């Protein structure tokens, strides 16, 4: 039996509804001698998931609801849960929404399509396109996260904050624009997620791309400031 099923069985047998993370880990240590680090309550939650660990079918096998940090409510498998699934990317302070449940059916929340912008080799790294494609996605999502951990999730041009305006569904949503320096076009170079990537709302993002090559976000910001004086 997988750890997840062992935990579920122990909690069901206990007859209790609310558990702390420590209680769950202790139950497993007592019953099976399981290393507490192998017991991952966030992964058993309908509304929460660990960074990157919970990638596959486990999403369907949930039995907890996270109440607050380290506090969980046991509801069992096949619960008709309604609500968002949150994830806090490693090292990040901001939670993002990765999916939602409607009457017990899970759906992924789509990330902005421009996540992969300019990293697919269309404007640079011409000599090494194939090599890059293999793990483009992994690299890009890590780079995106580093950019957002540093710059935050507000648009760098107009300061738009999706979470503030749209509430829960806006959490973690923002495009990431890749600033390609003229000198680097058609040359292979090491991407600096803080200097070369910048969070932009879709409107501002579209505006910088009205120019080809794209206008620098600082320039768009200046234009916007002048206009609004
Ligand atoms: Zn904007
Ligand atoms: Zn862009």
């Amino acid at each position: 039996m997988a750890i997840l099923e062992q935990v579920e069985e122990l909690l069901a047998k206990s007859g209790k509804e609310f558990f702390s993370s420590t209680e769950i880990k202790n139950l497993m240590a007592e019953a099976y001698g399981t290393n507490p680090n192998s017991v991952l309550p966030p992964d058993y939650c309908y509304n929460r998931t660990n960074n990157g660990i919970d990638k596959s079918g486990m999403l369907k096998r949930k039995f907890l609801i996270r109440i607050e940090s380290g506090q969980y409510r046991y509801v069992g498998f096949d619960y008709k849960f309604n609500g968002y699934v949150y994830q806090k990317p490693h090292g990040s302070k901001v939670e993002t929404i990765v999916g939602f449940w409607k009457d017990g059916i899970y759906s992924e929340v789509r990330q902005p399509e421009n996540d992969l912008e300019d990293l697919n080799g269309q404007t640079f790294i011409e000599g090494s396109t194939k090599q890059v494609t293999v793990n483009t996605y992994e690299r890009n999502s890590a780079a995106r996260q580093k950019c957002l951990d540093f710059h935050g999730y507000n648009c760098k041009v107009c300061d738009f904050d999706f979470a503030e305006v749209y509430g829960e569904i806006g959490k973690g949503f923002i495009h990431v624009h890749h600033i390609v320096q003229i000198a680097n076009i058609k040359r292979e170079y090491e991407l600096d997620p803080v200097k070369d990537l910048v969070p932009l709302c879709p409107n501002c993002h579209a505006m910088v791309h009205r120019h080809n090559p794209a206008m620098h976000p600082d320039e768009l910001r200046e234009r916007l400031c002048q206009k609004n004086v």
Side-chain angles (χ1 to χ4, degrees):
M1 198 166 28
I3 288 179
L4 169 137
E5 279 144 5
Q6 292 175 332
V7 175
E8 197 276 335
E9 199 179 82
L10 283 178
L11 300 191
K13 266 199 273 179
S14 79
K16 276 176 45 172
E17 190 177 353
F18 294 95
F19 297 88
S20 72
S21 182
T22 315
E23 283 175 293
I24 297 171
K25 286 166 191 274
N26 286 346
L27 280 173
M28 282 296 283
E30 282 164 30
Y32 299 102
T34 310
N35 180 341
N37 296 331
S38 307
V39 181
L40 303 164
D43 270 2
Y44 318 143
C45 290
Y46 286 93
N47 56 345
R48 183 86 182 177
T49 186
N50 268 333
N51 178 44
I53 296 169
D54 192 354
K55 273 182 180 156
S56 60
M58 273 185 69
L59 279 168
K60 311 256 182 281
R61 306 281 289 157
K62 304 296 192 179
F63 53 86
L64 295 176
I65 294 171
R66 182 180 183 268
I67 308 295
E68 56 182 74
S69 180
Q71 296 296 324
Y72 304 94
R73 179 183 160 212
Y74 172 76
V75 291
F77 288 137
D78 302 320
Y79 182 76
K80 297 273 177 272
F81 185 73
N82 285 297
Y84 291 113
V85 181
Y86 298 89
Q87 185 184 68
K88 196 147 72 171
H90 189 66
S92 174
K93 291 181 208 98
V94 185
E95 284 180 329
T96 67
I97 290 174
V98 294
F100 64 93
W101 295 85
K102 191 160 192 310
D103 300 328
I105 294 169
Y106 178 77
S107 303
E108 255 177 63
V109 159
R110 291 180 55 187
Q111 294 298 323
E113 283 169 7
N114 296 53
D115 272 10
L116 306 183
E117 179 188 77
D118 296 347
L119 295 172
N120 289 320
Q122 57 185 117
T123 51
F124 73 114
I125 326 189
E126 282 198 339
S128 59
T129 310
K130 270 187 199 126
Q131 192 189 331
V132 170
T133 317
V134 179
N135 50 11
T136 304
Y137 180 72
E138 300 269 310
R139 272 209 218 169
N140 289 355
S141 59
R144 172 186 160 86
Q145 198 53 56
K146 276 189 190 148
C147 160
L148 295 176
D149 286 342
F150 182 85
H151 293 291
Y153 289 75
N154 289 18
C155 174
K156 273 287 170 183
V157 169
C158 72
D159 207 36
F160 193 90
D161 178 347
F162 280 87
E164 191 183 300
V165 176
Y166 291 100
E168 287 301 288
I169 200 167
K171 270 191 181 177
F173 181 90
I174 192 77
H175 279 192
V176 170
H177 169 65
H178 184 191
I179 301 168
V180 182
Q181 307 290 346
I182 301 293
N184 285 331
I185 292 179
K186 297 195 175 179
R187 240 189 67 205
E188 207 176 312
Y189 70 99
E190 185 86 20
L191 179 81
D192 180 334
V194 170
K195 276 198 210 147
D196 300 337
L197 301 179
V198 60
L200 293 182
C201 77
N203 281 348
C204 293
H205 197 189
M207 290 304 112
V208 298
H209 280 286
R210 297 277 283 174
H211 279 194
N212 188 15
M215 186 193 294
H216 196 286
D218 290 347
E219 194 190 330
L220 183 63
R221 194 184 163 91
E222 258 168 52
R223 291 192 187 197
L224 194 65
C225 290
Q226 283 168 6
K227 202 182 166 298
N228 292 339
V229 168

